[in-house]
Amino acid sequence: MQQDDKEAKFKEFFERARKGVLKYLDQKGGFLNMGELHEYSLKTYLIQHQRFSMMMESFVNEELVSFDPSTQDVLLTDKGKEFIK
């Protein structure tokens, strides 16, 4: 498989995982501790620490979630709810 094909498949998988993680967050009332969200992404999508950090950064940068570093809590925003529809 060519490198471009591998990258395209990974991007497709990662985007599907992002939506899945946000849908899970929504199903849990839109609010979870980051540890619980990480555990879900690991068990369901095999997203480990470094990739999970990338995922969380993308969520925050795109304003799909708000994150409180002092409590490690993640809150799904209205923009995040629109994203998963």
Side-chain angles (χ1 to χ4, degrees):
M1 186 183 288
Q2 292 182 333
Q3 187 65 24
D4 290 344
D5 290 340
K6 286 181 183 178
E7 288 177 26
K9 285 188 184 269
F10 174 76
K11 286 180 182 180
E12 181 182 317
F13 165 77
F14 195 69
E15 194 61 24
R16 206 169 47 247
R18 281 175 19 105
K19 278 195 171 183
V21 168
L22 289 178
K23 284 180 181 180
Y24 178 75
L25 180 59
D26 189 41
Q27 290 169 356
K28 293 296 183 177
F31 179 83
L32 275 178
N33 183 273
M34 187 171 62
E36 293 174 69
L37 205 56
H38 181 267
E39 185 71 21
Y40 174 78
S41 73
L42 179 60
K43 286 182 177 179
T44 306
Y45 298 101
L46 305 176
I47 302 288
Q48 296 189 6
H49 183 74
Q50 185 177 14
R51 295 287 188 195
F52 181 75
S53 293
M54 288 174 53
M55 183 181 285
M56 280 300 299
E57 286 178 18
S58 72
F59 291 160
V60 171
N61 290 340
E62 295 172 37
E63 300 176 343
L64 303 177
V65 302
S66 61
F67 174 68
D68 183 342
S70 65
T71 61
Q72 300 287 299
D73 290 331
V74 181
L75 176 65
L76 186 64
T77 64
D78 289 338
K79 192 172 180 180
K81 289 177 185 177
E82 284 298 314
F83 178 77
I84 60 175
K85 285 186 177 179

